[in-house]
Amino acid sequence: MPKVKTKSGAKKRFKVTASGKIKRKHAYKRHILTKKETKQKRRLRHSTLVKKVDEGNIRPMLPYLF
């Protein structure tokens, strides 16, 4: 049986918390920031958790963490 490889894109984008939840960053914070309101940019700074519905798609991409 071959080793299961980790998706390197997922490895860079997601982290797993101590309780096993998956953390992610917000989108829309990379460029064209002059048009966006300060309040929006401030909210996008913080990381958040992946929704339960989407965890099923992300977990197989990170086999070494589970």
Side-chain angles (χ1 to χ4, degrees), residues 6-20:
T6 298
K7 298 274 187 196
S8 58
K11 182 172 48 177
K12 294 167 192 172
R13 287 176 173 86
F14 302 108
K15 298 281 180 262
V16 179
T17 62
S19 61

Side-chain angles (χ1 to χ4, degrees), residues 3-37:
K3 287 184 181 178
V4 179
K5 286 195 175 181
T6 298
K7 298 274 187 196
S8 58
K11 182 172 48 177
K12 294 167 192 172
R13 287 176 173 86
F14 302 108
K15 298 281 180 262
V16 179
T17 62
S19 61
K21 295 175 184 168
I22 303 173
K23 256 179 20 174
R24 67 173 178 88
K25 293 224 165 108
H26 282 100
Y28 306 109
K29 183 72 169 63
R30 290 286 174 211
H31 60 102
I32 315 177
L33 297 173
T34 51
K35 295 179 182 182
K36 295 171 185 145
E37 292 198 4

Side-chain angles (χ1 to χ4, degrees), residues 34-47:
T34 51
K35 295 179 182 182
K36 295 171 185 145
E37 292 198 4
T38 310
K39 184 176 180 179
Q40 181 187 4
K41 291 187 281 190
R42 191 166 51 242
R43 276 188 284 123
L44 294 174
R45 252 184 239 156
H46 309 290
S47 57

Side-chain angles (χ1 to χ4, degrees), residues 10 13-17 19-24 48-51 54-60 62 65-66:
R13 287 176 173 86
F14 302 108
K15 298 281 180 262
V16 179
T17 62
S19 61
K21 295 175 184 168
I22 303 173
K23 256 179 20 174
R24 67 173 178 88
T48 185
L49 296 174
V50 170
K51 304 262 187 212
D54 300 322
E55 273 191 28
N57 295 328
I58 296 167
R59 279 183 193 277
L62 304 168
L65 292 173
F66 298 102

